[in-house]
Amino acid sequence: MASKNSIHFDISERKILLRILDIVCVLALLYVVSIVFNFDYFKINSEHWVWSIVLATYLTVFATIFELYNLQKASKFDVVVKNVIITSSVTVLFYLLTPFYTPMLPSNRLQIVYFFLSINVAMLAWRYAYIVLVSAPRFYKRVLLIAHSSDVEAIVASLQKSDPNYRVIGYFNTGSSDGTIINNLEIDAITIGDISLLTEEMTISEIVVGTPLSEGMTVELNNQLIKLLENGIPIREYTQVYEELTHRIPVQHVEKDFYRYFPFSRSNQNKLYLFFNRILDMFFSVLGLAFGLMLFPILLIGNLLGNRGPLFYSQTRVGKNGEYFKIYKLRSMVINAEKNGAQFAETKDTRVTKFGRFLRKSRFDEIPQFINVIKGEMSVIGPRPERPEFVEDLKEKIPFYEVRHLVKPGVTGWAQVNAKYGSSEEDSLEKLQYDLYYIKHRSLFLDITIIIKTLSTIVFFRGQ
């Protein structure tokens, strides 16, 4: 079948490709420059192999922090140029300041300029090639969707928003209604007899089933899908694809079958993981509070001028197993901000002071919560603790909302580095999806990823 010859890259494959070729292109150009321009600051040979490892490590870490592996941004060259320059600048700075494992500073400082320019040129040339070639339509993942027509628009939007190279090009309607265009989305509606023909002509990469087994999955349709599966066409269930692409749990689609799709991470009961997690909590808490003490004079002056009131405040939140505790924060709102009752903070909340807006954007207002971490009420990483009034309301409206209380709440978390600010029920649902993904996949690697993404949030001033 033609579909076997189609070429596409999954999200993980594209991220690996970006990481590997970033390093390969940089080292290759540095090698060429060292030969052509007699550039001896950075030599690539068996005697100085450690230099390449140190440079590659710095490059990978800072490229992650400055979002060069964010696939949505990696496909926009203007964004890539800015992030490459920032990444290369910080990488070169740290490399130059690293003792013992990097070369001695050259007497000819012009070589440092060669070094810096080589890294920029190599990365920009490769990233431009990536946008032109790998992100081109011929490498899109072309998908056939099996779903009810009323669900198609939401499914297509969620999948293509998460992966710019993911394209749903047709759907089979398991309901009674039909149509060729759904809300201006040009997606062909096909009959059961067209499924096999479409997969041959359109070089389908995958079939996604977005309908429960009890709804619309007839014997004839199942037999057709089995034939396609035997011919090498991957067939996957929508919640599995959604979770893989969005790194969220689609609780609104799982309903009563939730626990079949939600095996808890073994790390939640792994005593060794929990022990090291607590060690890291204490380490980052001490580090965070020390940083807060260094900033204290600035914060105090800013509060006197911009907030004019108490610097700190506490508030009741819901913690692990639904237990209440007092959370500590730097005050960012006017005094008596909730005199009319508890309400969600909004993106442009008029109750937030000018200095408070700076505290939120920089996330400095969260620093006192490290005291909660030391007390064992919170962890550095976990779902954000919510207020009892909101929890009581949200658990009635959002399925499985209380599952997020199975682990300690965190100063930062998977939802905080991926979702927008929770100012509505819809935002709370999105945050819950991320929180449940963290609880399901909780691991040291995911914790490190969240820490790096949190640094990106702080660097780009994206706090809420």
Side-chain angles (χ1 to χ4, degrees):
M1 295 178 68
S3 60
K4 293 182 180 179
N5 299 321
S6 62
I7 299 175
H8 64 268
F9 294 97
D10 291 329
I11 287 179
S12 58
E13 293 171 335
R14 274 178 276 138
K15 288 185 176 181
I16 291 173
L17 187 68
L18 286 172
R19 291 178 187 276
I20 291 177
L21 286 183
D22 276 352
I23 295 170
V24 169
C25 290
V26 166
L27 294 179
L29 187 57
L30 285 172
Y31 180 75
V32 171
V33 169
S34 67
I35 294 175
V36 174
F37 296 98
N38 194 26
F39 171 65
D40 57 9
Y41 171 65
F42 188 90
K43 291 287 187 181
I44 300 177
N45 53 41
S46 58
E47 184 180 353
H48 302 302
W49 58 272
V50 177
W51 295 358
S52 298
I53 293 177
V54 174
L55 180 62
T57 301
Y58 281 149
L59 188 63
T60 301
V61 170
F62 292 119
T64 303
I65 292 175
F66 296 113
E67 302 180 331
L68 280 174
Y69 304 125
N70 181 313
L71 295 182
Q72 283 77 15
K73 296 181 179 180
S75 60
K76 301 173 182 176
F77 193 66
D78 56 334
V79 177
V80 168
V81 171
K82 179 189 70 174
N83 291 348
V84 163
I85 293 174
I86 296 174
T87 298
S88 60
S89 299
V90 178
T91 297
V92 170
L93 177 63
F94 272 75
Y95 187 82
L96 293 174
L97 296 177
T98 300
F100 307 117
Y101 300 106
T102 59
M104 296 290 292
L105 291 176
S107 56
N108 181 3
R109 295 294 190 263
L110 189 61
Q111 294 207 13
I112 296 177
V113 177
Y114 288 157
F115 184 60
F116 175 72
L117 291 178
S118 296
I119 294 176
N120 277 279
V121 170
M123 292 188 68
L124 288 173
W126 150 235
R127 289 311 184 104
Y128 181 76
Y130 169 83
I131 293 171
V132 173
L133 300 175
V134 180
S135 290
R138 62 178 169 276
F139 288 116
Y140 285 170
K141 190 168 190 176
R142 303 165 68 83
V143 178
L144 176 64
L145 181 64
I146 309 292
H148 193 286
S149 59
S150 62
D151 297 327
V152 170
E153 181 185 351
I155 291 176
V156 171
S158 65
L159 296 181
Q160 295 185 176
K161 177 183 177 182
S162 302
D163 183 357
N165 286 30
Y166 204 93
R167 289 291 182 272
V168 178
I169 55 89
Y171 79 95
F172 173 79
N173 181 18
T174 57
S176 57
S177 61
D178 56 23
T180 57
I181 296 180
I182 300 178
N183 197 22
N184 298 323
L185 292 176
E186 296 183 1
I187 302 174
D188 294 328
I190 63 173
T191 64
I192 194 165
D194 296 329
I195 292 179
S196 180
L197 179 63
L198 183 64
T199 53
E200 292 183 9
E201 293 181 348
M202 302 293 287
T203 61
I204 298 297
S205 308
E206 183 174 272
I207 294 176
V208 174
V209 179
T211 298
L213 296 179
S214 59
E215 299 178 13
M217 295 298 291
T218 63
V219 174
E220 184 181 7
L221 177 58
N222 275 317
N223 290 337
Q224 185 72 270
L225 294 179
I226 289 172
K227 290 180 182 179
L228 295 174
L229 189 62
E230 290 173 344
N231 283 291
I233 301 293
I235 301 176
R236 295 202 292 166
E237 203 270 332
Y238 167 63
T239 57
Q240 177 189 1
V241 177
Y242 182 96
E243 182 178 336
E244 179 184 301
L245 293 182
T246 66
H247 298 117
R248 293 151 56 183
I249 302 292
V251 289
Q252 73 274 35
H253 298 293
V254 173
E255 297 179 351
K256 62 180 181 295
D257 297 324
F258 177 76
Y259 294 101
R260 181 157 63 93
Y261 297 99
F262 192 73
F264 291 100
S265 170
R266 294 180 180 178
S267 295
N268 293 312
Q269 303 297 328
N270 187 311
K271 292 187 177 358
L272 185 61
Y273 167 80
L274 295 176
F275 171 76
F276 281 109
N277 181 264
R278 183 59 181 162
I279 294 296
L280 289 175
D281 278 351
M282 297 299 290
F283 172 76
F284 283 113
S285 296
V286 171
L287 204 64
L289 290 174
F291 179 70
L293 286 175
M294 292 171 56
L295 293 176
F296 187 74
I298 299 174
L299 298 175
L300 188 60
I301 294 172
N303 181 71
L304 289 173
L305 298 177
N307 279 355
R308 299 184 181 181
L311 177 61
F312 300 96
Y313 88 102
S314 63
Q315 196 176 63
T316 301
R317 297 290 175 98
V318 180
K320 184 178 180 181
N321 299 326
E323 296 181 358
Y324 293 179
F325 70 99
K326 288 286 187 181
I327 194 174
Y328 306 113
K329 297 187 73 173
L330 295 178
R331 187 173 59 86
S332 58
M333 288 189 175
V334 297
I335 300 174
N336 297 323
E338 295 188 328
K339 59 184 177 182
N340 296 322
Q343 55 184 293
F344 279 112
E346 300 176 356
T347 304
K348 295 182 179 180
D349 202 318
T350 56
R351 298 172 300 162
V352 179
T353 66
K354 290 183 179 179
F355 184 65
R357 194 163 289 111
F358 163 76
L359 292 176
R360 290 190 170 202
K361 287 289 185 182
S362 62
R363 300 194 70 168
F364 290 164
D365 62 322
E366 314 284 5
I367 291 176
Q369 289 169 41
F370 288 118
I371 298 174
N372 294 112
V373 176
I374 292 175
K375 291 171 67 177
E377 298 165 332
M378 294 177 64
S379 179
V380 170
I381 298 171
R384 286 295 294 161
E386 199 52 87
R387 301 181 62 180
E389 301 93 323
F390 298 149
V391 170
E392 289 300 317
D393 182 50
L394 292 171
K395 73 180 183 182
E396 298 295 328
K397 299 177 179 178
I398 301 177
F400 317 109
Y401 186 81
E402 288 183 289
V403 175
R404 67 198 300 275
H405 298 139
L406 292 175
V407 299
K408 288 182 182 179
V411 178
T412 186
W414 191 234
Q416 276 58 55
V417 298
N418 286 291
K420 61 183 180 180
Y421 195 64
S423 58
S424 66
E425 183 181 327
E426 291 74 19
D427 294 337
S428 295
L429 173 60
E430 182 182 10
K431 289 174 64 178
L432 175 65
Q433 292 177 325
Y434 282 115
D435 288 335
L436 294 183
Y437 181 90
Y438 173 74
I439 296 172
K440 180 178 179 179
H441 296 278
R442 193 179 183 196
S443 66
L444 182 61
F445 176 78
L446 184 55
D447 289 344
I448 293 172
T449 301
I450 292 171
I451 290 172
I452 292 175
K453 281 180 168 287
T454 300
L455 292 175
S456 295
T457 301
I458 295 172
V459 167
F460 288 105
F461 219 52
R462 293 203 192 103
Q464 302 292 339

